[in-house]
Structures are given as structure tokens and as C-alpha cells.
Amino acid sequence: MNPTAYVITVAYGAVCFVAVIGLLVIWRSTHSERPRERDTADTDRLVHGEKAWFAIAVAALGVLLLATLPFIPYGDNAAAVGQQTVAVDGAQFAWTIAPRQVQAEVPVRFTVTAADVNHGFAVYNDDNVMLFQIQAIPGHTSNIVYTFKEPGRYQVVCLEFCGLKHHEMLTTLTVDPPA
Ligand code: CUA
């Protein structure tokens, strides 16, 4: 797990923990034995407590949402000046990729679509580690921006079962050293 994903997971875990504790506190106060004559006062206190916990949870989730949005690795957020653009078109059973050669250390925007059925555009490095993947959908262009750090040959694999020769949808992408 990369450090950013780790931080996000821990943060969301913390929010869930606080929410569960809050619910437990509310549950405990609703279910504890109390003399009947104090019912009205307790209800007011509980309503107040529930509202406070709700506000805290909403505020915490809102802050987390805003704080973590820039780290989402998809969409337009990673766009950069001087980026390279690669058009990807998946069709049974081959990839059309133009250009097939990009530069390391410069963001590459992949505009990914499909001609017939859904395909899964995935790029793997030499160690068979998947760097990213995105759905190739007919009639829709998906965008993903990725910056290759190392020059070399990268494997392109289809990750969506798309027919009898799905396993043949393999090709390569060449990453040149930075200029
Ligand atoms: Cu295309 Cu599987």
C-alpha cells in the first residue's frame, strides 16, 4: 500500500471509530436504567447529543473529503503543463495505441475508449506489478494521467473478459529516458 493510501485508510478508520464510539455513547444513554420521572430531561439531552454527534461526523467527513480529494489518482487532477497524450482504443482483440512511445518523468494522459465491448486497459512494469488500469468503454472516453519514472518496455494487458481471444489483447508501450 502506498503512503497516501495508508494515510487515507487510517484517517477514514479514525472517523469510523469516532462514529462508532458516538453511537455506543448514545445507545448506552438510551438503554441505561433511569427513574421514570427523568424521562423528559433525558430525551432532551439525547436529542442534543445526537445532533452534536451528527454535526461532528458530517464535519469530520467533510474535512476528510476536501483534504483527500487531490490524492485521487484518477481524472483530471493530475493534468500538468507539457503532458503527453496517448489515445487508446480497445477492440476485439487488439489495442490501438498512438503514440506507443512516451517519455519518462513527463505526465502522460491516456484517453481510453473501446470500439465494440468493454475492455480493461492495464499497464504493468517489468516485475509484473500493475501501475494503473482503467475501463475502456464503447462511446465514452476515460482519462487517466500517469507519470512513468523508469524508461523501458511496459506491458499492456486487457483486464476485462471481452470474448474468446481476450487473453490475446496484449501489447507493449515504450518509455524513453527523460529528455
Ligand atoms: Cu479486451 Cu479482454
Side-chain angles (χ1 to χ4, degrees), residues 104-128:
E105 287 171 23
V106 180
V108 184
R109 172 180 296 276
F110 292 88
T111 60
V112 182
T113 190
D116 37 34
V117 299
N118 273 33
H119 300 273
F121 178 73
V123 175
Y124 286 76
N125 69 11
D126 258 2
D127 300 322
N128 275 329

Side-chain angles (χ1 to χ4, degrees), residues 15-125:
V15 168
C16 291
F17 180 76
V18 169
V20 167
I21 295 295
L23 286 173
L24 280 177
V25 167
I26 290 166
W27 186 84
R28 229 187 96 84
S29 29
T30 9
H31 289 76
S32 54
E33 300 285 323
R34 290 268 158 75
R36 276 202 160 266
E37 58 272 22
R38 290 179 61 188
D39 270 6
T40 319
D42 277 357
T43 310
D44 288 347
R45 207 169 57 94
L46 284 176
V47 168
H48 188 77
E50 279 179 350
K51 278 184 183 161
W53 274 111
F54 183 72
I56 289 169
V58 168
L61 286 172
V63 168
L64 266 180
L65 175 70
L66 293 177
T68 54
L69 268 182
F71 300 109
I72 295 175
Y74 302 107
D76 293 340
N77 57 303
V81 178
Q83 69 179 12
Q84 312 160 83
T85 303
V86 172
V88 177
D89 195 357
Q92 289 165 319
F93 294 97
W95 293 106
T96 306
I97 301 177
R100 277 179 184 277
Q101 218 156 338
V102 294
Q103 231 176 61
E105 287 171 23
V106 180
V108 184
R109 172 180 296 276
F110 292 88
T111 60
V112 182
T113 190
D116 37 34
V117 299
N118 273 33
H119 300 273
F121 178 73
V123 175
Y124 286 76
N125 69 11

Side-chain angles (χ1 to χ4, degrees), residues 90-95 116-120 157-163 165-169:
Q92 289 165 319
F93 294 97
W95 293 106
D116 37 34
V117 299
N118 273 33
H119 300 273
V157 178
C158 181
L159 288 191
E160 180 78 39
F161 182 73
C162 53
K165 292 183 177 176
H166 155 71
H167 59 281
E168 287 184 8
M169 280 188 74

